[in-house]
Amino acid sequence: MKVTWEGDGRGGSGWEGLSARVGRCRLPVWDCTAGLVAGEDAALLIDAGSSVREGAWLRARARRFLGGGRVTHLALTHPHFDHVFGAAAFADAEVFGAAGIERVLGDEGEELRADAVRNGADPDRAADAAGLLVRPRHLVTHEYALDLGGGLRALLADVGPGHTGHDLAVLVSGDGPAIVFCGDLVEESGEPQAGPDAAPGHWPAALDRLLALGGEDALYVPGHGAVVDAAFVRAQRDALARRFDVP
């Protein structure tokens, strides 16, 4: 599948190409990253945005760049509203998440709706997204491999807890350098955020698992911010260990 990436991926202006068949965009408002992996037989979206509107925008843009094809698989890196509320636009996709995410999403989305409103989301749009919340059908307990066709592979790995109790990373290989989508285990545009559902004592170990997954030469895609390298992830790991007094 030939894909032409356009733009720098910032502010919803287009997709930033990370390799010939892997791209990402940075959505406006919360600067949340969504990734797109275009295989010959299937297409994987990583995270779905903060609202039904953002999810619909991602669906339309993905279809354009897939030459009319659709997103067949969706991986949710963790259960925060800015990453999952757009999933309603992908109800026909196979949806994946780390085991345990179903419990967080099982309260009809009320906690996520309230969190979205606290962070400035429009209350009506947040309520709509919560009411249409899509829950993963496939729960990853360790690792799950997807063959997307044309030699392109995605390994979904439950690497948490850390930023939340249920953090999923995605390693993409078979198209240039290894690319790791980190969710909010790694953030570049600001300090990593540790909310009430974080597991600070386990977060550095989660980053160690990310580094083991991708290796020294991989590209690491944060949940928010610019693409980074292994040295950045390691420095953030050490900073979190100092912050939370973890060896």
Side-chain angles (χ1 to χ4, degrees), residues 11-246:
S13 62
W15 297 89
E16 172 192 2
L18 305 178
S19 71
R21 292 183 290 168
V22 183
R24 67 87 178 249
C25 66
R26 294 168 65 173
L27 295 163
V29 185
W30 285 282
D31 190 26
C32 180
T33 285
L36 181 63
V37 186
E40 291 291 342
D41 304 322
L44 169 68
L45 187 75
I46 301 152
D47 284 336
S50 64
S51 67
V52 177
R53 176 178 290 186
E54 280 192 345
W57 183 90
L58 283 169
R59 184 183 179 99
R61 295 291 286 185
R63 182 176 292 275
R64 171 184 171 185
F65 287 106
L66 294 171
R70 71 177 183 90
V71 169
T72 56
H73 298 74
L74 170 63
L76 301 175
T77 61
H78 61 287
H80 284 169
F81 80 91
D82 51 333
H83 296 258
V84 306
F85 266 2
F90 301 93
D92 58 345
E94 297 294 321
V95 184
F96 294 79
I101 191 175
E102 75 281 5
R103 295 191 294 273
V104 180
L105 303 181
D107 62 351
E108 304 305 319
E110 175 55 30
E111 289 188 17
L112 294 182
R113 182 205 63 77
D115 188 42
V117 172
R118 282 194 298 270
N119 281 277
D122 177 88
D124 291 335
R125 290 182 183 173
D128 288 344
L132 295 170
L133 195 60
V134 171
R135 294 164 180 81
R137 302 184 185 98
H138 304 282
L139 301 173
V140 179
T141 56
H142 180 51
E143 294 179 350
Y144 188 94
L146 289 174
D147 184 348
L148 302 174
L152 198 58
R153 296 172 298 278
L155 183 69
L156 282 57
D158 180 0
V159 296
H163 176 65
T164 72
H166 316 289
D167 292 307
L168 188 75
V170 180
L171 168 67
V172 182
S173 59
D175 188 42
I179 300 170
V180 183
F181 288 88
C182 308
D184 286 2
L185 285 168
V186 178
E187 297 194 40
E188 185 275 337
S189 56
E191 291 295 319
Q193 299 300 303
D197 58 343
H202 297 278
W203 200 332
L207 294 184
D208 287 336
R209 287 191 284 274
L210 274 184
L211 289 164
L213 193 67
E216 286 300 309
D217 298 324
L219 302 176
Y220 292 86
V221 185
H224 303 265
V227 176
V228 300
D229 59 12
F232 181 96
V233 176
R234 188 171 294 106
Q236 195 156 96
R237 181 254 182 240
D238 292 344
L240 285 166
R242 292 190 297 271
R243 175 178 170 186
F244 299 121
D245 194 24
V246 178

